Amino acid sequence: MARSARRAHEKDDPPGLADATEVRRVRAVLALGGVPWDALDDGVQQVRLKLLEEQAKPARPEVRNRLAWLTVVASRVASDWHRSQSRDAGLRQRLAERWSQPPAEHSEEHRVLALAVAEELDSMPAAQRQVLVLRYYADLPIREIALLLRVPEGTIKSRLHTAHAAMRARLRQVEVI
């Protein structure tokens, strides 16, 4: 494609990752960073979002080497992914230890409910599981969860609402509640 035709074509494209080369580069950096194959598309979307946020900043300097910028951002996304996984793993381990030997004061009904909740948490998307665990197991307020995850409070509230609905529906389906 000629340079002038490419520029005209790029103006018609929505902002974000413009071509397959950029997408392949981002996927490769994420994969090399240890992000599992099934999470690569989510990682690409996170990089795309960060690019859009960067482009939306007023009076921002032009990115000189777009592929280099995308590579750095993709490596940071991979690091964030590992951090969130290690946080989740440590919490899962503590929860498993807590419920492996249930205290005598818990009734059989409470233990069944706890196991059903744990199974449902395992099957939830990571973002929903994360907010439920931070809110109810770590007992953090919504504001602190938003700061910890670096997302708006409204997003946390939305994720909690969706996670509650999914949890409630699943527990009713298996006739625990």
Side-chain angles (χ1 to χ4, degrees), residues 150-168:
R150 292 185 234 138
V151 296
E153 287 183 42
T155 302
I156 300 300
K157 290 176 184 178
S158 174
R159 287 178 186 173
L160 278 171
H161 176 77
T162 304
H164 282 146
M167 179 72 75
R168 193 176 308 111

Side-chain angles (χ1 to χ4, degrees), residues 85-102:
Q85 294 302 309
S86 64
R87 253 192 320 251
D88 285 351
L91 188 56
R92 277 194 200 119
Q93 183 180 0
R94 287 193 304 274
L95 290 173
E97 289 170 1
R98 180 177 178 184
W99 284 98
S100 64
Q101 304 261 334

Side-chain angles (χ1 to χ4, degrees), residues 21 40 52 67 92 147 159:
T21 303
L40 289 180
L52 293 172
L67 277 176
R92 277 194 200 119
L147 290 172
R159 287 178 186 173

Side-chain angles (χ1 to χ4, degrees), residues 11-119:
K11 288 179 184 175
D12 295 335
D13 284 343
L17 301 178
D19 63 14
T21 303
E22 291 178 348
V23 173
R24 281 195 308 269
R25 169 74 62 99
V26 168
R27 288 177 65 83
V29 170
L30 291 170
L32 289 171
V35 176
W37 189 256
D38 61 338
L40 289 180
D41 290 334
D42 291 337
V44 170
Q45 291 303 322
Q46 287 178 350
V47 172
R48 183 173 280 137
L49 177 63
K50 290 183 185 306
L51 177 62
L52 293 172
E53 288 172 346
E54 183 67 24
Q55 290 174 341
K57 289 180 182 175
R60 69 172 178 86
E62 186 68 28
V63 174
R64 284 184 265 171
N65 186 340
R66 188 172 159 113
L67 277 176
W69 189 91
L70 290 170
T71 301
V72 169
V73 172
S75 68
R76 289 179 183 157
V77 167
S79 295
D80 291 346
W81 184 86
H82 283 291
R83 240 181 271 123
S84 72
Q85 294 302 309
S86 64
R87 253 192 320 251
D88 285 351
L91 188 56
R92 277 194 200 119
Q93 183 180 0
R94 287 193 304 274
L95 290 173
E97 289 170 1
R98 180 177 178 184
W99 284 98
S100 64
Q101 304 261 334
E105 70 262 10
H106 290 298
S107 68
E108 180 68 25
E109 183 177 304
H110 282 103
R111 287 193 294 265
V112 168
L113 178 62
L115 288 173
V117 168
E119 285 178 11

